[in-house]
Structures are given as structure tokens and as C-alpha cells.
Amino acid sequence: MEKIKSLEKVLLFYVPFSPYNDDAVNTMLEECQNLSKIDEKLYCYETLRTSLVQIRSFYQPYKETLEQIIPVIADLRSIEMLNWDFNNYSKEDYKNLYISQLKLLTYDNQPSVFWSFVAVISLIGWILAIVLLIWKGLGERINKDYILVSFVLFLLFFGLWILGLYMA
């Protein structure tokens, strides 16, 4: 298990185009396949999966490896659930367990790029509206036009920021 933890650390320090990433993924796959106990094998595959999901940015590195191991993890989880001491599952429930585990593992909870962009831009606009209010509206002479415009921009960008955070 120490080897798996070390390989996980290599993956979590992911650097694009580094040969160490490929070596770590391939070695971890070999280690997982060589394990005999179901719980150890499941731990190994889940560690590999979570490490690969954690290094995702605007693209998913090793997507083909994830697609390869997700059915294996769903199978191992289903078998482990059938082997629990205090459960009501039988061998006939395997298919339903496998399908539910597969759905769970393939669920994509990545935030929306569009709404994340809207949240960032609206935060900048919100701050600039406050700066406009202070700089132009509240000078030596109070300018009601700038105060009104900056207040409307403030509300607009603040609302967009909240909406962007919610939708992202």
C-alpha cells in the first residue's frame, strides 16, 4: 500500500508532458491488477481514479484510463456490497448495484465554464462599479448621474455575480 500512496503523490504533483505521470499511471494500473484481495484492489483503483479526477483542469488527462477503470471500480464495489455482513442484497441484485455504481462514477460534477467566466467578469465589474462610485460620484462635488449609473451597475454586476456563483 505504501507504493500506491507514493504513486498517488506523483500523480497529484501532475506536470503536463512529464514522463513521470505516464510511469505512475502505468505502474499503478499494474499494481492494481496484481492485487488479489477485493478491498485492496478497490482501494488501489479508487486511489488512481480520485488522483486522476483531482488533476483535471480545463481538460481531463488520462481520460482513456478513467474510462477503462470506472467499470472495474463499479464491479468491485458491487461485489463488495454483496459481501457485506448485514445487508439484504442477493446475487440477483448485482446488476442493479453495478448500474447504480456506474452512474455514480460517471456523474460529471465539473462546474460550468460559461458561468464561472460570468462570475469572474461580474465580480470585476462589481468592484469597478464601486470604484466608479467613489472616484467619480463622491468627489468634491457630488455628481448624481455618476452615483445613479454606478449604483445600477453595482446592482447589475452583484446580481450577475451571485447568479454566476449559483449556476457554476
Side-chain angles (χ1 to χ4, degrees):
M1 291 298 155
E2 290 300 319
K3 188 172 185 178
I4 293 169
K5 290 178 184 177
S6 299
L7 291 168
E8 177 187 22
K9 288 178 185 174
V10 171
L11 285 176
L12 293 177
F13 287 107
Y14 176 78
V15 176
F17 309 113
S18 172
Y20 297 116
N21 303 326
D22 291 333
D23 291 343
V25 169
N26 292 331
T27 305
M28 204 160 184
L29 276 173
E30 289 174 15
E31 286 294 318
C32 293
Q33 291 167 354
N34 292 336
L35 293 171
S36 58
K37 292 183 179 178
I38 290 177
D39 58 339
E40 290 177 354
K41 197 174 245 192
L42 181 60
Y43 171 78
C44 182
Y45 279 119
E46 284 185 335
T47 302
L48 177 58
R49 179 187 170 273
T50 55
S51 298
L52 293 178
V53 169
Q54 287 180 53
I55 62 174
R56 173 174 61 184
S57 60
F58 60 90
Y59 75 99
Q60 174 65 65
Y62 302 103
K63 187 174 185 173
E64 64 282 345
T65 304
L66 270 176
E67 292 171 355
Q68 173 189 350
I69 65 172
I70 283 176
V72 175
I73 294 171
D75 177 56
L76 291 171
R77 281 184 180 178
S78 301
I79 291 171
E80 190 174 72
M81 289 174 80
L82 289 175
N83 292 334
W84 286 347
D85 290 334
F86 304 104
N87 69 8
N88 296 327
Y89 297 126
S90 63
K91 298 288 183 190
E92 293 80 30
D93 294 324
Y94 171 81
K95 187 174 182 178
N96 291 332
L97 290 172
Y98 178 79
I99 290 170
S100 65
Q101 290 297 322
L102 205 57
K103 284 181 185 177
L104 181 66
L105 290 166
T106 55
Y107 174 72
D108 185 20
N109 61 350
Q110 184 175 5
S112 168
V113 174
F114 172 74
W115 286 109
S116 298
F117 182 74
V118 167
V120 170
I121 296 300
S122 60
L123 176 64
I124 293 169
W126 181 40
I127 293 169
L128 290 177
I130 294 170
V131 170
L132 177 70
L133 172 69
I134 294 169
W135 191 28
K136 292 287 187 176
L138 302 175
E140 288 180 14
R141 292 182 6 212
I142 294 179
N143 191 333
K144 292 179 183 178
D145 293 336
Y146 280 116
I147 291 175
L148 181 63
V149 168
S150 60
F151 184 70
V152 168
L153 287 174
F154 171 85
L155 290 177
L156 175 77
F157 284 122
F158 182 75
L160 275 175
W161 180 60
I162 296 297
L163 182 67
L165 289 176
Y166 179 75
M167 298 298 287

